[in-house]
Amino acid sequence: MLADALEHLVRGIVDHPDDVRVDARALRRGDLLEVRVHPDDLGRVIGRGGRTARALRTVVGALSTDGPVRIDVVDVARR
């Protein structure tokens, strides 16, 4: 559910919504959501001074019922 919500939010921000992919993994310290975007959209997702990324983390953290969630933003070129 969290991965779907995050993917929906990120797709609304970027210019290449078909390249957005969110992978979820469970770690000992909580869940990890890895957001992969087109390299041209990386700046849009991070935002000026990290404001957009911080806002995405706040929204997803508020939706989380299982504890802490970590979000990493990665461009598609990195695999």
Coordinates of all heavy atoms in Angstrom, one line a residue:
M1 N 0.8 -1.2 0.0 CA 0.0 0.0 0.0 C 0.9 1.3 0.0 O 0.6 2.2 -0.8 CB -0.9 0.0 1.2 CG -1.8 1.2 1.3 SD -2.5 1.4 2.9 CE -2.2 3.1 3.2
L2 N 1.9 1.3 0.9 CA 2.8 2.5 0.9 C 3.5 2.7 -0.4 O 3.7 3.8 -0.9 CB 3.8 2.3 2.1 CG 3.2 2.5 3.5 CD1 4.3 2.2 4.5 CD2 2.6 3.8 3.7
A3 N 4.0 1.6 -1.0 CA 4.7 1.7 -2.3 C 3.8 2.2 -3.3 O 4.2 3.0 -4.2 CB 5.3 0.3 -2.6
D4 N 2.5 1.8 -3.4 CA 1.6 2.3 -4.4 C 1.3 3.7 -4.2 O 1.2 4.5 -5.1 CB 0.3 1.5 -4.3 CG 0.4 0.0 -4.7 OD1 1.4 -0.3 -5.4 OD2 -0.4 -0.8 -4.2
A5 N 1.1 4.2 -2.9 CA 0.9 5.6 -2.7 C 2.1 6.4 -3.0 O 1.9 7.5 -3.7 CB 0.5 5.8 -1.2
L6 N 3.2 6.0 -2.7 CA 4.5 6.7 -3.1 C 4.6 6.8 -4.6 O 5.0 7.9 -5.1 CB 5.7 6.1 -2.4 CG 7.0 6.8 -2.7 CD1 7.0 8.2 -2.2 CD2 8.1 6.0 -2.0
E7 N 4.4 5.7 -5.3 CA 4.5 5.7 -6.7 C 3.5 6.7 -7.3 O 3.8 7.4 -8.3 CB 4.3 4.3 -7.3 CG 4.5 4.2 -8.7 CD 4.4 2.7 -9.2 OE1 4.5 1.8 -8.4 OE2 4.3 2.6 -10.5
H8 N 2.3 6.7 -6.8 CA 1.3 7.6 -7.3 C 1.7 9.1 -7.2 O 1.6 9.9 -8.1 CB -0.1 7.4 -6.6 CG -1.1 8.3 -7.1 ND1 -1.8 8.2 -8.3 CD2 -1.7 9.4 -6.4 CE1 -2.7 9.1 -8.4 NE2 -2.6 9.9 -7.3
L9 N 2.3 9.4 -6.0 CA 2.7 10.8 -5.7 C 3.9 11.2 -6.6 O 3.9 12.3 -7.2 CB 3.1 10.9 -4.3 CG 2.0 10.9 -3.2 CD1 2.6 10.8 -1.8 CD2 1.1 12.1 -3.3
V10 N 4.8 10.3 -6.8 CA 6.0 10.6 -7.6 C 5.6 10.7 -9.1 O 6.1 11.6 -9.8 CB 7.1 9.5 -7.4 CG1 8.3 9.7 -8.4 CG2 7.6 9.6 -6.0
R11 N 4.7 9.9 -9.6 CA 4.3 9.9 -11.0 C 3.7 11.3 -11.3 O 3.7 11.8 -12.4 CB 3.3 8.8 -11.3 CG 4.0 7.5 -11.5 CD 2.9 6.4 -11.9 NE 3.5 5.1 -12.0 CZ 3.8 4.6 -13.2 NH1 3.6 5.2 -14.3 NH2 4.4 3.4 -13.2
G12 N 3.0 11.9 -10.3 CA 2.4 13.2 -10.5 C 3.5 14.3 -10.6 O 3.1 15.4 -11.1
I13 N 4.7 14.1 -10.1 CA 5.7 15.1 -10.1 C 6.6 15.1 -11.3 O 7.0 16.2 -11.8 CB 6.6 14.9 -8.8 CG1 5.8 15.1 -7.6 CG2 7.8 15.9 -8.8 CD1 6.5 14.7 -6.3
V14 N 6.9 14.0 -11.9 CA 7.9 13.8 -12.9 C 7.4 14.0 -14.3 O 6.2 14.0 -14.6 CB 8.6 12.4 -12.8 CG1 9.2 12.2 -11.4 CG2 7.6 11.3 -13.0
D15 N 8.3 14.2 -15.2 CA 8.0 14.3 -16.6 C 8.0 13.0 -17.4 O 7.4 12.9 -18.4 CB 9.1 15.2 -17.3 CG 9.0 16.7 -17.0 OD1 7.9 17.1 -16.6 OD2 10.0 17.3 -17.0
H16 N 8.6 12.0 -16.8 CA 8.6 10.6 -17.4 C 8.0 9.7 -16.4 O 8.7 8.8 -15.8 CB 10.1 10.2 -17.7 CG 10.8 11.1 -18.6 ND1 11.6 12.2 -18.1 CD2 10.8 11.2 -19.9 CE1 12.1 12.8 -19.2 NE2 11.6 12.2 -20.3
P17 N 6.6 9.7 -16.3 CA 6.0 8.8 -15.3 C 6.1 7.3 -15.6 O 6.0 6.5 -14.6 CB 4.5 9.3 -15.3 CG 4.3 9.9 -16.6 CD 5.7 10.5 -17.0
D18 N 6.4 6.9 -16.8 CA 6.5 5.5 -17.1 C 7.8 4.9 -16.6 O 7.9 3.7 -16.4 CB 6.4 5.3 -18.6 CG 5.1 5.7 -19.2 OD1 4.1 5.6 -18.4 OD2 5.0 6.0 -20.4
D19 N 8.7 5.8 -16.3 CA 10.0 5.3 -15.7 C 10.1 5.2 -14.2 O 11.1 4.8 -13.7 CB 11.2 6.2 -16.2 CG 11.4 6.1 -17.7 OD1 11.0 5.0 -18.3 OD2 12.0 7.0 -18.3
V20 N 9.0 5.5 -13.6 CA 8.9 5.5 -12.1 C 8.7 4.1 -11.6 O 7.7 3.4 -12.1 CB 7.8 6.4 -11.6 CG1 7.7 6.3 -10.0 CG2 8.1 7.9 -11.9
R21 N 9.5 3.6 -10.7 CA 9.3 2.3 -10.1 C 9.6 2.4 -8.7 O 10.6 3.0 -8.3 CB 10.2 1.3 -10.9 CG 9.8 -0.1 -10.7 CD 10.6 -1.1 -11.5 NE 11.8 -1.4 -10.8 CZ 13.0 -1.3 -11.4 NH1 13.2 -1.0 -12.6 NH2 14.1 -1.6 -10.6
V22 N 8.8 1.8 -7.8 CA 9.1 1.7 -6.4 C 9.2 0.3 -6.0 O 8.3 -0.5 -6.2 CB 7.9 2.4 -5.6 CG1 8.1 2.3 -4.1 CG2 7.8 3.9 -6.0
D23 N 10.3 0.0 -5.4 CA 10.6 -1.4 -4.9 C 10.5 -1.3 -3.3 O 11.2 -0.5 -2.7 CB 12.0 -1.9 -5.3 CG 12.1 -2.0 -6.8 OD1 11.1 -2.4 -7.5 OD2 13.1 -1.6 -7.4
A24 N 9.8 -2.3 -2.7 CA 9.7 -2.3 -1.3 C 10.5 -3.5 -0.7 O 10.4 -4.6 -1.3 CB 8.2 -2.4 -0.9
R25 N 11.2 -3.3 0.3 CA 11.9 -4.3 1.0 C 11.7 -4.2 2.5 O 11.7 -3.1 3.0 CB 13.4 -4.3 0.7 CG 13.7 -4.7 -0.7 CD 15.2 -4.9 -0.9 NE 15.7 -3.6 -1.2 CZ 17.0 -3.3 -1.2 NH1 17.9 -4.2 -0.9 NH2 17.4 -2.1 -1.5
A26 N 11.6 -5.3 3.2 CA 11.6 -5.2 4.7 C 13.0 -5.4 5.3 O 13.7 -6.4 4.9 CB 10.6 -6.3 5.2
L27 N 13.4 -4.5 6.1 CA 14.6 -4.6 6.8 C 14.4 -4.7 8.3 O 13.3 -4.6 8.8 CB 15.5 -3.3 6.5 CG 15.7 -3.0 5.0 CD1 16.5 -1.7 4.9 CD2 16.6 -4.1 4.4
R28 N 15.5 -5.0 9.0 CA 15.4 -5.1 10.5 C 14.8 -3.8 11.1 O 14.1 -3.8 12.1 CB 16.7 -5.4 11.1 CG 17.0 -6.9 11.1 CD 18.2 -7.3 11.8 NE 19.4 -6.9 11.0 CZ 20.5 -6.5 11.4 NH1 20.8 -6.5 12.7 NH2 21.5 -6.2 10.6
R29 N 15.3 -2.7 10.6 CA 14.9 -1.4 11.2 C 13.6 -0.8 10.7 O 13.2 0.3 11.0 CB 16.0 -0.4 11.0 CG 17.2 -0.7 11.8 CD 18.2 0.5 11.5 NE 19.3 0.4 12.5 CZ 20.2 1.3 12.6 NH1 20.1 2.4 11.9 NH2 21.2 1.2 13.4
G30 N 12.9 -1.5 9.8 CA 11.7 -1.0 9.2 C 11.7 -1.3 7.7 O 12.6 -2.0 7.2
D31 N 10.8 -0.7 7.0 CA 10.6 -0.9 5.6 C 11.5 0.1 4.8 O 11.8 1.2 5.2 CB 9.2 -0.7 5.1 CG 8.3 -1.8 5.6 OD1 8.7 -2.9 5.9 OD2 7.1 -1.5 5.8
L32 N 12.0 -0.4 3.6 CA 12.7 0.5 2.7 C 12.0 0.6 1.4 O 11.6 -0.5 0.8 CB 14.1 -0.1 2.4 CG 14.9 0.5 1.3 CD1 15.3 1.9 1.7 CD2 16.1 -0.3 1.0
L33 N 11.7 1.8 1.0 CA 11.0 2.0 -0.3 C 12.1 2.7 -1.2 O 12.6 3.8 -0.9 CB 9.8 2.9 -0.2 CG 8.7 2.3 0.7 CD1 7.6 3.4 0.8 CD2 8.2 1.0 0.1
E34 N 12.4 2.0 -2.3 CA 13.4 2.5 -3.2 C 12.7 3.1 -4.4 O 12.1 2.3 -5.2 CB 14.4 1.4 -3.6 CG 15.6 1.9 -4.3 CD 16.7 0.8 -4.5 OE1 16.5 0.0 -5.3 OE2 17.7 0.9 -3.7
V35 N 12.9 4.4 -4.7 CA 12.2 5.0 -5.8 C 13.2 5.2 -6.9 O 14.2 5.8 -6.8 CB 11.6 6.4 -5.4 CG1 10.9 7.1 -6.6 CG2 10.7 6.3 -4.2
R36 N 12.9 4.6 -8.1 CA 13.7 4.7 -9.3 C 13.0 5.6 -10.3 O 11.8 5.4 -10.6 CB 14.0 3.4 -9.9 CG 14.8 2.5 -9.0 CD 15.2 1.2 -9.7 NE 16.0 0.4 -8.8 CZ 17.3 0.5 -8.7 NH1 18.0 1.4 -9.3 NH2 18.0 -0.3 -7.9
V37 N 13.7 6.7 -10.7 CA 13.1 7.6 -11.7 C 14.1 7.9 -12.8 O 15.3 7.5 -12.8 CB 12.8 9.0 -11.0 CG1 11.7 8.8 -9.9 CG2 14.0 9.6 -10.4
H38 N 13.6 8.5 -13.9 CA 14.5 8.8 -15.0 C 15.5 9.8 -14.6 O 15.2 10.7 -13.7 CB 13.6 9.5 -16.1 CG 14.2 9.6 -17.4 ND1 15.0 10.7 -17.7 CD2 14.2 8.9 -18.5 CE1 15.5 10.6 -18.9 NE2 15.0 9.5 -19.5
P39 N 16.7 9.8 -15.1 CA 17.8 10.7 -14.6 C 17.4 12.2 -14.7 O 17.8 13.0 -13.9 CB 19.0 10.4 -15.5 CG 18.7 9.0 -16.0 CD 17.2 8.8 -16.0
D40 N 16.6 12.5 -15.7 CA 16.2 13.9 -15.9 C 15.2 14.4 -14.8 O 15.0 15.6 -14.5 CB 15.5 14.2 -17.2 CG 16.5 14.0 -18.4 OD1 17.7 14.0 -18.1 OD2 16.0 13.7 -19.5
D41 N 14.5 13.4 -14.2 CA 13.5 13.7 -13.1 C 14.1 13.7 -11.7 O 13.3 14.0 -10.8 CB 12.3 12.8 -13.2 CG 11.6 12.9 -14.5 OD1 11.5 14.1 -15.0 OD2 11.0 11.9 -15.0
L42 N 15.3 13.3 -11.6 CA 15.9 13.2 -10.2 C 15.8 14.5 -9.4 O 15.4 14.5 -8.2 CB 17.3 12.7 -10.3 CG 18.0 12.2 -9.1 CD1 17.2 11.0 -8.5 CD2 19.4 11.7 -9.4
G43 N 16.1 15.6 -10.1 CA 16.1 16.9 -9.4 C 14.6 17.3 -9.0 O 14.4 17.9 -8.0
R44 N 13.7 16.9 -9.8 CA 12.3 17.2 -9.5 C 11.8 16.4 -8.2 O 11.1 17.0 -7.4 CB 11.3 16.8 -10.6 CG 11.4 17.7 -11.8 CD 10.4 17.2 -12.8 NE 10.2 18.3 -13.8 CZ 9.2 19.2 -13.7 NH1 8.4 19.1 -12.7 NH2 9.0 20.1 -14.6
V45 N 12.2 15.2 -8.1 CA 11.8 14.4 -7.0 C 12.5 14.8 -5.7 O 11.9 14.8 -4.6 CB 12.1 12.9 -7.3 CG1 11.7 12.0 -6.1 CG2 11.2 12.4 -8.4
I46 N 13.8 15.2 -5.8 CA 14.5 15.6 -4.6 C 14.1 17.0 -4.2 O 13.9 17.3 -3.1 CB 16.0 15.5 -4.9 CG1 16.4 14.1 -5.0 CG2 16.8 16.2 -3.7 CD1 17.8 13.9 -5.4
G47 N 13.9 17.9 -5.2 CA 13.5 19.3 -4.9 C 14.6 20.2 -4.5 O 15.7 19.7 -4.2
R48 N 14.3 21.5 -4.4 CA 15.3 22.4 -3.9 C 15.6 22.2 -2.5 O 14.7 22.4 -1.6 CB 14.8 23.8 -4.2 CG 15.8 24.9 -3.8 CD 15.3 26.3 -4.3 NE 15.4 26.3 -5.7 CZ 14.8 27.2 -6.5 NH1 14.0 28.1 -5.9 NH2 14.9 27.2 -7.8
G49 N 16.8 21.9 -2.2 CA 17.2 21.7 -0.8 C 16.6 20.5 -0.2 O 16.6 20.3 1.0
G50 N 16.1 19.6 -1.0 CA 15.5 18.3 -0.5 C 14.1 18.5 0.0 O 13.6 17.6 0.7
R51 N 13.5 19.6 -0.3 CA 12.1 19.8 0.2 C 11.1 18.8 -0.2 O 10.3 18.3 0.5 CB 11.7 21.2 -0.1 CG 12.4 22.3 0.7 CD 11.9 23.6 0.3 NE 12.7 24.7 0.9 CZ 12.5 25.9 0.6 NH1 11.6 26.4 -0.2 NH2 13.3 26.8 1.2
T52 N 11.1 18.5 -1.5 CA 10.1 17.6 -2.1 C 10.4 16.2 -1.5 O 9.4 15.5 -1.1 CB 10.2 17.5 -3.6 OG1 10.1 18.9 -4.1 CG2 9.1 16.6 -4.2
A53 N 11.6 15.7 -1.4 CA 11.9 14.4 -0.9 C 11.5 14.3 0.6 O 10.9 13.3 1.1 CB 13.4 14.1 -1.0
R54 N 11.7 15.4 1.3 CA 11.3 15.5 2.7 C 9.8 15.4 2.9 O 9.3 14.7 3.8 CB 11.9 16.7 3.4 CG 11.8 16.7 4.9 CD 12.6 17.9 5.5 NE 13.7 18.3 4.8 CZ 13.9 19.5 4.3 NH1 13.0 20.5 4.5 NH2 15.0 19.9 3.7
A55 N 9.1 16.1 2.0 CA 7.6 16.1 2.0 C 7.1 14.7 1.7 O 6.1 14.2 2.3 CB 7.1 17.1 1.1
L56 N 7.7 14.0 0.7 CA 7.3 12.7 0.4 C 7.5 11.7 1.6 O 6.7 10.9 1.9 CB 8.0 12.1 -0.8 CG 7.7 12.8 -2.2 CD1 8.7 12.4 -3.2 CD2 6.3 12.4 -2.6
R57 N 8.6 11.9 2.2 CA 8.9 11.0 3.4 C 7.9 11.3 4.5 O 7.5 10.4 5.2 CB 10.4 11.3 3.9 CG 11.4 10.7 3.0 CD 12.8 10.9 3.6 NE 13.8 10.3 2.7 CZ 14.6 11.0 1.9 NH1 14.6 12.3 2.0 NH2 15.5 10.4 1.1
T58 N 7.5 12.6 4.7 CA 6.6 12.9 5.7 C 5.2 12.3 5.5 O 4.6 11.7 6.4 CB 6.4 14.4 5.8 OG1 7.7 15.0 6.2 CG2 5.4 14.8 6.9
V59 N 4.8 12.4 4.2 CA 3.5 11.8 3.9 C 3.5 10.3 4.0 O 2.5 9.7 4.6 CB 3.1 12.2 2.4 CG1 1.9 11.4 1.9 CG2 2.8 13.7 2.3
V60 N 4.5 9.6 3.5 CA 4.6 8.2 3.6 C 4.7 7.7 5.1 O 4.1 6.8 5.5 CB 5.7 7.6 2.7 CG1 5.9 6.1 3.0 CG2 5.4 7.8 1.3
G61 N 5.5 8.5 5.9 CA 5.6 8.2 7.3 C 4.3 8.3 8.0 O 4.0 7.5 8.9
A62 N 3.5 9.3 7.6 CA 2.1 9.4 8.2 C 1.2 8.3 7.8 O 0.3 7.9 8.6 CB 1.5 10.8 7.8
L63 N 1.4 7.8 6.6 CA 0.5 6.6 6.2 C 0.9 5.3 6.8 O 0.2 4.4 6.8 CB 0.6 6.5 4.7 CG -0.1 7.6 3.9 CD1 0.2 7.5 2.4 CD2 -1.6 7.7 4.1
S64 N 2.2 5.2 7.2 CA 2.7 3.9 7.7 C 2.1 3.6 9.1 O 2.0 4.4 10.0 CB 4.2 4.1 7.9 OG 4.7 2.9 8.5
T65 N 1.7 2.3 9.2 CA 1.2 1.8 10.4 C 2.1 0.8 11.0 O 1.9 0.3 12.2 CB -0.2 1.1 10.2 OG1 -0.1 0.1 9.2 CG2 -1.2 2.1 9.7
D66 N 3.1 0.3 10.3 CA 4.0 -0.7 10.7 C 5.3 -0.2 11.4 O 6.2 -1.0 11.7 CB 4.4 -1.6 9.6 CG 3.2 -2.3 9.0 OD1 2.2 -2.5 9.8 OD2 3.2 -2.7 7.8
G67 N 5.5 1.1 11.5 CA 6.7 1.6 12.1 C 7.5 2.4 11.1 O 6.9 2.9 10.1
P68 N 8.8 2.6 11.3 CA 9.5 3.5 10.4 C 9.7 3.0 9.0 O 9.7 1.8 8.7 CB 10.9 3.6 11.1 CG 11.0 2.3 11.9 CD 9.6 2.0 12.3
V69 N 9.7 4.0 8.1 CA 9.9 3.7 6.6 C 11.0 4.6 6.1 O 11.1 5.8 6.4 CB 8.6 4.0 5.9 CG1 8.8 3.8 4.4 CG2 7.4 3.2 6.4
R70 N 11.9 4.0 5.4 CA 13.1 4.7 4.8 C 12.8 4.8 3.3 O 12.4 3.8 2.7 CB 14.4 4.0 5.1 CG 15.6 4.8 4.8 CD 16.8 4.1 5.2 NE 17.6 3.9 4.0 CZ 18.4 2.9 3.8 NH1 18.7 2.0 4.8 NH2 19.1 2.8 2.7
I71 N 13.1 5.9 2.7 CA 12.9 6.1 1.3 C 14.2 6.6 0.7 O 14.8 7.5 1.1 CB 11.8 7.2 1.0 CG1 10.4 6.7 1.6 CG2 11.6 7.5 -0.5 CD1 9.3 7.8 1.5
D72 N 14.6 5.8 -0.3 CA 15.8 6.2 -1.1 C 15.4 6.5 -2.5 O 14.6 5.8 -3.1 CB 16.8 5.0 -1.2 CG 17.5 4.8 0.2 OD1 17.5 5.7 1.0 OD2 18.0 3.7 0.4
V73 N 15.9 7.6 -3.1 CA 15.6 8.0 -4.4 C 16.8 7.7 -5.3 O 17.9 8.2 -5.0 CB 15.2 9.5 -4.5 CG1 15.0 9.9 -5.9 CG2 14.1 9.8 -3.6
V74 N 16.6 7.0 -6.4 CA 17.7 6.5 -7.2 C 17.3 6.8 -8.7 O 16.1 6.7 -9.0 CB 18.0 5.0 -7.1 CG1 19.1 4.6 -7.9 CG2 18.2 4.7 -5.6
D75 N 18.2 7.2 -9.6 CA 17.9 7.3 -11.0 C 17.9 6.0 -11.7 O 18.5 5.0 -11.2 CB 18.8 8.3 -11.7 CG 20.2 7.9 -11.8 OD1 20.5 6.8 -11.3 OD2 21.0 8.7 -12.3
V76 N 17.2 5.8 -12.8 CA 17.1 4.6 -13.5 C 18.4 4.1 -14.0 O 18.6 2.8 -14.1 CB 16.1 4.8 -14.7 CG1 16.0 3.5 -15.5 CG2 14.7 5.1 -14.2
A77 N 19.3 4.9 -14.3 CA 20.6 4.5 -14.9 C 21.4 3.7 -13.8 O 22.2 2.8 -14.2 CB 21.5 5.7 -15.3
R78 N 21.2 3.9 -12.6 CA 21.8 3.1 -11.5 C 21.0 1.9 -11.2 O 19.9 1.9 -10.9 CB 21.9 4.0 -10.2 CG 23.3 4.0 -9.6 CD 23.3 4.9 -8.4 NE 23.3 4.0 -7.3 CZ 23.0 4.4 -6.1 NH1 22.6 5.6 -5.8 NH2 23.0 3.6 -5.1
R79 N 21.6 0.7 -11.2 CA 20.8 -0.5 -11.0 C 21.5 -1.4 -10.0 O 22.6 -1.6 -9.8 CB 20.6 -1.3 -12.3 CG 19.8 -0.5 -13.2 CD 18.9 -1.4 -14.0 NE 18.1 -0.5 -14.9 CZ 16.8 -0.4 -14.9 NH1 16.1 -1.2 -14.2 NH2 16.2 0.4 -15.7

